[in-house]
Amino acid sequence: MGWDRATPFIIDLEVGAEDIDGLGHANNAVYVTWLERCAWRHSQRLGLDLVEYRRLDRAMAVVRHEIDYLAAAYEGDELQLATWIVDWDQRLKMTRHFQLKRPSDNTTLLRAQTTFVCIELSTGKPKRMPAEFIEGYGPALQVPG
């Protein structure tokens, strides 16, 4: 379908009535919720779910979203949101890219980048990634090709 990068992790979305704002299209805040949902489902697929985060006393917390809204989504639109892990230092930081598409007309509605920092859940402070994060997230890293 013309994704920006190879081998995306993809979730399907449908724009519901509750997603629509006063201007008649999906509200920009809804897109942030979708980004979080996609990243979380990808982490779960990689074996790093909330149970594992709690066991390790670590989590990847958002510190920055950069979003380019390129086209509007409307109620009833069926969408696909893809994500890729594109950068990480194997210590504290990780970056994901996202691309949101409407397959019916192959339009890219959004491109985004989110930066995460590993934190210790019990303190909320930045803390080095445990080996389980390296093992789980590492194979998903997209190397420039």
Side-chain angles (χ1 to χ4, degrees):
M1 181 160 69
W3 294 108
D4 290 344
R5 296 172 174 267
T7 62
F9 175 83
I10 299 168
I11 65 168
D12 295 318
L13 301 164
E14 183 173 347
V15 182
E18 68 280 2
D19 300 324
I20 303 302
D21 63 17
L23 301 178
H25 55 71
N27 186 276
N28 62 338
V30 172
Y31 291 88
V32 175
T33 300
W34 293 340
L35 298 177
E36 178 184 20
R37 183 180 307 162
C38 187
W40 189 241
R41 287 191 185 160
H42 189 215
S43 289
Q44 291 169 324
R45 174 72 55 88
L46 297 172
L48 295 165
D49 60 13
L50 192 54
V51 171
E52 188 68 352
Y53 274 22
R54 287 181 179 144
R55 183 184 76 79
L56 297 167
D57 193 28
R58 297 289 190 286
M60 297 305 297
V62 173
V63 293
R64 181 181 177 96
H65 283 300
E66 298 173 64
I67 302 172
D68 293 318
Y69 298 97
L70 306 171
Y74 300 95
E75 186 175 350
D77 279 353
E78 294 182 3
L79 309 175
Q80 289 191 313
L81 180 57
T83 190
W84 303 264
I85 297 172
V86 298
D87 190 32
W88 73 328
D89 63 9
Q90 299 187 24
R91 294 182 306 276
L92 289 175
K93 288 178 124 181
M94 180 172 71
T95 303
R96 286 182 176 275
H97 283 182
F98 297 90
Q99 182 181 4
L100 180 66
K101 294 194 88 165
R102 184 174 43 229
S104 64
D105 60 4
N106 202 34
T107 298
T108 294
L109 307 179
L110 168 146
R111 285 189 177 90
Q113 176 175 299
T114 300
T115 304
F116 297 82
V117 169
C118 187
I119 63 166
E120 185 176 55
L121 285 172
S122 58
T123 66
K125 294 181 179 179
K127 191 81 167 191
R128 190 176 184 93
M129 290 180 195
E132 291 87 344
F133 279 27
I134 307 299
E135 294 161 8
Y137 288 119
L141 180 67
Q142 291 278 310
V143 293

